């Protein structure tokens, strides 16, 4: 079975705990995906335009930001390897929800494990905002079953 685990930089321990409880001794192929979100770049450009500035950052600053994002992605995936030795690392850039669904399809995932929302996200524990927009999109469009993990804070 091919299991795609979606990392957000804060949830690898939570995913590993659930994984260990459910799939104890099974032989599985694990894929760890982290997506560098392109959305904030567009938001920064809109903010700069709003204040009558040039919409694009200078090339050296763009390169600096790109390197920081790449480094962060590598750190998150390497942390995932500590919990899932031998896992296949999958790094993408774009809209996380679309990249996860596309990667699951291309990689041949038979199960996607994703957290309901990043703990940084504000919103009520119950009701329509109990699942973040990334998780909602993955649930609605995934090419395979999805295991949705709710954090302890959300389940109380």
């Amino acid at each position: 079975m091919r299991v795609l685990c979606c990392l957000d930089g804060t949830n690898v321990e939570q995913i590993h705990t659930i994984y260990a409880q459910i799939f104890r001794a099974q032989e599985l192929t694990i894929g760890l995906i982290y997506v560098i979100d392109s959305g904030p770049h567009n938001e920064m450009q809109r903010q700069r335009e709003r204040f009558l500035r040039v919409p694009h950052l200078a090339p050296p600053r763009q390169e600096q930001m790109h390197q920081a994002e790449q480094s962060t992605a590598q750190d998150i995936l390497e942390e995932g390897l500590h919990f899932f030795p031998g896992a296949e690392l999958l790094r993408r850039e774009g809209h996380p929800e679309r990249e996860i669904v596309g990667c699951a399809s291309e990689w041949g995932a038979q199960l996607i494990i994703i957290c309901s929302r990043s703990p940084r996200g504000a919103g009520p524990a119950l009701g329509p905002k109990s699942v973040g927009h990334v998780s909602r999109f993955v649930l609605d469009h995934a090419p395979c079953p999805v295991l949705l993990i709710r954090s302890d804070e959300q389940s109380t």
Side-chain angles (χ1 to χ4, degrees):
M1 179 179 228
R2 296 174 66 82
V3 179
L4 183 64
C5 301
C6 305
L7 303 182
D8 67 8
T10 62
N11 64 350
V12 68
E13 290 182 40
Q14 189 177 6
I15 288 175
H16 184 263
T17 300
I18 297 298
Y19 172 85
Q21 291 173 358
I22 296 174
F23 302 108
R24 290 189 182 124
Q26 296 181 21
E27 287 293 319
L28 303 174
T29 302
I30 303 297
L32 301 176
I33 184 171
Y34 179 77
V35 180
I36 298 171
D37 190 354
S38 63
H41 294 281
N42 298 332
E43 187 62 35
M44 285 187 335
Q45 289 174 3
R46 281 193 288 272
Q47 288 297 327
R48 289 179 63 82
E49 287 174 348
R50 184 173 152 211
F51 294 110
L52 302 175
R53 295 185 178 158
V54 178
H56 300 286
L57 293 172
R61 176 62 81 187
Q62 286 180 343
E63 181 59 28
Q64 202 175 30
M65 288 175 54
H66 180 72
Q67 291 299 324
E69 290 171 336
Q70 294 295 325
S71 175
T72 299
Q74 190 61 35
D75 291 347
I76 290 168
L77 289 170
E78 285 176 7
E79 181 185 9
L81 277 178
H82 292 301
F83 289 90
F84 297 97
E88 190 174 333
L89 303 181
L90 306 160
R91 182 182 346 182
R92 299 287 178 99
E93 291 186 41
H95 295 284
E97 60 276 15
R98 295 182 184 280
E99 293 298 326
I100 291 168
V101 170
C103 181
S105 182
E106 293 168 16
W107 191 68
Q110 295 170 302
L111 176 69
I112 297 172
I113 300 177
I114 190 168
C115 290
S116 59
R117 69 174 29 249
S118 172
R120 294 181 300 266
L126 298 175
K129 293 188 178 181
S130 63
V131 177
H133 74 279
V134 173
S135 301
R136 171 65 58 207
F137 188 91
V138 172
L139 286 167
D140 291 343
H141 297 91
C144 60
V146 177
L147 175 60
L148 181 70
I149 301 172
R150 291 180 56 107
S151 71
D152 294 337
E153 297 145 11
Q154 292 171 335
S155 60
T156 57

